[in-house]
Amino acid sequence: MNNSFARNLLISITLWIIFVVLATDGLERLLLISIFLAIPLLLFLVPTRKRDGSDSRYHAFLMGYHPYVAFTIALAFVFPSGSLLSGILSIPWAIYLLALAGYGIRRLLERGWCVLEENAIDIGMIYSSIGGIVLSVYCFGGSILGYQEEKILLLTASHFHFAAIFSPLFIGLVGRLICVGQKFGNLYRWTAIGLMASPLLVAIGIYTYSIIETIAVFLYAICLFIYSYFVLVHISKQAERFLIRLCLQVSSIVIILTILLSVTYSISTLFGQNWLTIEQMTIYHGAVNAICFVILGLIGWVYLKPIENAVLYGLPHTNINGDKIIGKDFLDKKELVDPKQHHAGLVDNLEKFARNDFFPAQIHPKIRAFYENTMLYDLAAQVTWHRGFRFLAKIYKTWSKKTQQINLPTNRAEVVQVESKIIGVCNEEQYWNKNLRAWIRTYNQTNETMFVAVYSDHHHENEQYLHITLPIPKCNLTGILRLEHGADMALQITTLPRRGKKGDEGIYLMLKNFSIRLPLNEHFLIWVDEYGRLQATHRMWLFGMKMLSVEYEISGKVR
């Protein structure tokens, strides 16, 4: 632990002891455990380390200001709920938890949905915002969906300060340590999804229908049983110290027992019985979970402190952002053309992309020749927008024709001849690869621009990626692609992630200080047909739905 975190944690513990004495309501005392102790430990477990080795300033902000905003919500508990002063004092904490949710959203946007264990951690942080809002409503004396009873509001706030945050966090930390893609793939995947969804479903059931609550609690219980199995059988043995191992084991056993109480209580509510009272659930479920499941679990996880399996923040990008209109002369206007560089192909040598499961020598010689000597070839393209996206294509065409970038035809019957050229690019802001080139494609008949794409590559963790930047107004779209073998010496170039392995591949919206992993994927298949002709297919998906296909016929230039 660094000195600033240790200092802030000591301040938080001191304040917690003081306000536990001052608070008069048992549920308020319970909430103080999360406010002063659990939230800072959560932040300690989820720093954002960027590719260049720097830490997130957002994370540092949340860590640094935590004791101050925690003090204000604890002070709000000193005054009667419903009083104006209590309500006003609760606002900073609600804003802070919204900022914590924003931190989770930022991580999620930058990394994308492909890393399940990190998604679970981020969902937990997003849920915290609901806890902050509900707690502020309680302090103001308000109501939610017609429920104004203080105890119901406090129980909801407690749910979103404990279970909703820390059960997704814990299953995410499990995913950092076990090999998700192999032995435990499907079991872990469904457990993580269940623990991301069930806390919200439980809360919805409490405020709507008992049957929804009961189903959600059963789902939650099953997922927590599996989480406990992972910890007891596979995780706790990684802790060398007996006390740390004991913390993890007790935490996992306790959650099994307390979730059975939740199942019993939800069944009794469904049948209109009163087998357990809310007061009993507060003590035997709420308090025991807060101390044993959450705090003891956090102590164990803080000791293990599993780190992310892949650093997917702060990926390299070219910083070549577009103007209102791009067009074939864009790079000239931006003074980015380097006349000293001359490139024959999109890559100098395909051997650069070799790795232990990709051997460029096994790619068909005609395909290699195209990528290494692209200027010797002509292209003809036929574009098909798939069902469900054809109306969107017409709207998109209005924008792309105006900006003269990613300007694709909408008429599927049309085969267009494409003229292309490759020019050297000089960009002083590019720190990771100075070997840039642009492939500019225009339509022969209209001279309109089809694509302006800047090509480069970068290396990370024994993988060489093809890096394609498409400038668009005020930012750029960047495709980071992985090379794979296809059948019969074909070449595949794709952003589709490999199951069980986290790489850089993806399509990103690159802003100045931030990137967003878009729900887009693309896949190129380049092959030689039975007649010896060079063919290529480019497919794109949006949210997993096939959006677009482009068929290319590639032929040598006639001299």
Side-chain angles (χ1 to χ4, degrees):
M1 293 187 186
N2 58 45
N3 292 334
S4 60
F5 171 74
R7 183 184 67 250
N8 284 351
L9 185 60
L10 184 60
I11 293 170
S12 294
I13 292 171
T14 304
L15 290 172
W16 173 66
I17 293 170
I18 293 169
F19 282 104
V20 161
V21 175
L22 294 176
T24 57
D25 187 277
L27 279 171
E28 290 179 354
R29 289 194 179 101
L30 198 62
L31 278 163
L32 291 174
I33 295 174
S34 177
I35 290 166
F36 280 117
L37 306 181
I39 294 296
L41 293 174
L42 157 71
L43 286 167
F44 177 77
L45 287 165
V46 288
T48 298
R49 185 63 54 84
K50 297 183 180 181
R51 183 64 60 85
D52 62 5
S54 64
D55 293 319
S56 165
R57 288 182 292 177
Y58 198 154
H59 180 266
F61 166 81
L62 291 171
M63 291 280 281
Y65 281 91
H66 170 264
Y68 307 106
V69 289
F71 173 78
T72 63
I73 187 63
L75 196 59
F77 290 161
V78 175
F79 299 95
S81 63
S83 68
L84 182 61
L85 191 55
S86 178
I88 291 171
L89 287 169
S90 72
I91 292 173
W93 182 250
I95 294 172
Y96 180 82
L97 290 186
L98 283 170
L100 180 60
Y103 177 62
I105 291 169
R106 182 181 175 116
R107 279 169 38 95
L108 187 60
L109 287 175
E110 191 163 5
R111 186 192 62 252
W113 283 94
C114 301
V115 188
L116 184 61
E117 63 269 23
E118 300 305 320
N119 296 345
I121 293 169
D122 295 339
I123 290 295
M125 289 190 283
I126 292 168
Y127 280 151
S128 71
S129 62
I130 302 174
I133 292 168
V134 173
L135 193 54
S136 189
V137 169
Y138 160 77
C139 291
F140 273 107
S143 64
I144 294 178
L145 298 177
Y147 287 84
Q148 195 170 7
E149 188 181 343
E150 291 183 352
K151 194 169 289 283
I152 295 295
L153 292 175
L154 271 179
L155 285 169
T156 305
S158 297
H159 177 73
F160 283 103
H161 275 76
F162 288 104
I165 298 175
F166 294 100
S167 50
L169 170 70
F170 288 171
I171 196 65
L173 296 175
V174 166
R176 288 181 175 184
L177 287 182
I178 66 173
C179 190
V180 173
Q182 297 178 11
K183 185 177 179 181
F184 305 112
N186 289 328
L187 181 62
Y188 177 83
R189 191 171 297 111
W190 289 110
T191 303
I193 292 170
L195 286 177
M196 284 189 275
S198 51
L200 183 60
L201 293 175
V202 169
I204 291 171
I206 290 171
Y207 281 89
T208 54
Y209 302 104
S210 296
I211 184 64
I212 295 176
E213 179 189 0
T214 302
I215 293 170
V217 169
F218 266 96
L219 172 65
Y220 193 35
I222 292 168
C223 292
L224 285 173
F225 287 164
I226 299 171
Y227 162 77
S228 297
Y229 157 76
F230 280 130
V231 173
L232 292 171
V233 177
H234 300 286
I235 302 296
S236 61
K237 63 184 179 183
Q238 297 186 33
E240 297 175 357
R241 295 184 181 180
F242 170 75
L243 286 177
I244 300 301
R245 192 160 58 248
L246 185 64
C247 283
L248 289 168
Q249 290 169 345
V250 170
S251 171
S252 300
I253 293 169
V254 163
I255 195 59
I256 293 173
L257 300 176
T258 57
I259 197 61
L260 288 174
L261 287 177
S262 288
V263 172
T264 303
Y265 179 79
S266 65
I267 292 173
S268 69
T269 303
L270 181 64
F271 290 104
Q273 301 298 315
N274 196 25
W275 300 341
L276 290 167
T277 65
I278 289 181
E279 288 74 19
Q280 289 173 321
M281 286 295 291
T282 301
I283 297 171
Y284 299 117
H285 176 76
V288 173
N289 268 352
I291 297 168
C292 297
F293 173 58
V294 173
I295 296 301
L296 289 183
L298 281 170
I299 291 170
W301 283 113
V302 165
Y303 175 82
L304 292 176
K305 201 185 179 185
I307 61 173
E308 291 188 56
N309 292 310
V311 180
L312 298 175
Y313 311 102
L315 296 180
H317 61 99
T318 61
N319 293 309
I320 298 177
N321 297 329
D323 297 326
K324 274 188 175 182
I325 298 175
I326 310 301
K328 59 184 178 180
D329 300 323
F330 168 76
L331 294 169
D332 281 306
K333 292 175 183 176
K334 299 288 281 189
E335 298 181 348
L336 293 172
V337 175
D338 186 355
K340 297 178 183 178
Q341 289 191 51
H342 300 281
H343 302 284
L346 299 177
V347 299
D348 292 328
N349 193 329
L350 214 59
E351 289 293 337
K352 190 174 189 178
F353 296 89
R355 59 177 189 271
N356 58 8
D357 61 347
F358 179 71
F359 308 99
Q362 296 180 11
I363 299 299
H364 197 288
K366 287 188 176 182
I367 298 172
R368 290 194 61 169
F370 169 70
Y371 273 93
E372 294 171 2
N373 296 279
T374 313
M375 293 303 296
L376 299 179
Y377 294 84
D378 285 324
L379 285 82
Q382 184 176 26
V383 178
T384 302
W385 291 86
H386 294 285
R387 185 175 298 174
F389 292 97
R390 288 167 191 164
F391 178 72
L392 179 65
K394 292 178 182 179
I395 299 172
Y396 167 80
K397 181 64 176 178
T398 304
W399 174 86
S400 66
K401 188 169 184 176
K402 181 179 178 181
T403 57
Q404 290 291 287
Q405 175 65 303
I406 322 176
N407 185 22
L408 298 170
T410 54
N411 182 4
R412 64 184 301 182
E414 184 180 8
V415 177
V416 293
Q417 300 297 319
V418 179
E419 180 70 29
S420 68
K421 65 176 181 178
I422 296 176
I423 59 175
V425 176
C426 177
N427 179 21
E428 295 301 327
E429 294 186 31
Q430 164 100 301
Y431 62 90
W432 47 273
N433 187 346
K434 299 294 183 183
N435 189 17
L436 299 177
R437 66 203 69 188
W439 190 21
I440 300 171
R441 281 164 281 177
T442 56
Y443 295 113
N444 281 3
Q445 292 180 337
T446 64
N447 204 32
E448 288 184 354
T449 304
M450 183 182 188
F451 283 104
V452 176
V454 178
Y455 278 68
S456 58
D457 53 79
H458 77 264
H459 186 84
H460 182 65
E461 293 187 348
N462 301 317
E463 188 104 44
Q464 194 78 18
Y465 295 97
L466 185 63
H467 198 284
I468 306 174
T469 298
L470 298 158
I472 58 175
K474 305 299 181 183
C475 53
N476 68 72
L477 283 176
T478 293
I480 299 177
L481 301 103
R482 184 185 72 254
L483 277 64
E484 298 280 357
H485 288 289
D488 299 323
M489 302 180 76
L491 173 65
Q492 299 182 85
I493 306 176
T494 185
T495 65
L496 293 168
R498 286 174 288 189
R499 176 171 287 187
K501 187 171 182 180
K502 290 85 178 176
D504 292 357
E505 56 266 52
I507 298 177
Y508 299 85
L509 179 66
M510 294 288 190
L511 307 172
K512 185 175 181 181
N513 298 310
F514 181 54
S515 62
I516 299 173
R517 169 64 156 94
L518 298 174
L520 283 165
N521 275 300
E522 63 180 339
H523 181 90
F524 295 88
L525 176 64
I526 306 95
W527 78 99
V528 177
D529 68 14
E530 58 188 355
Y531 302 106
R533 297 175 301 190
L534 197 55
Q535 308 281 346
T537 299
H538 177 199
R539 292 190 175 92
M540 294 194 73
W541 294 265
L542 177 64
F543 292 108
M545 298 178 288
K546 188 182 289 186
M547 178 177 71
L548 173 72
S549 295
V550 185
E551 301 292 339
Y552 289 100
E553 185 167 319
I554 305 167
S555 57
K557 287 183 181 289
V558 178
R559 300 189 179 184

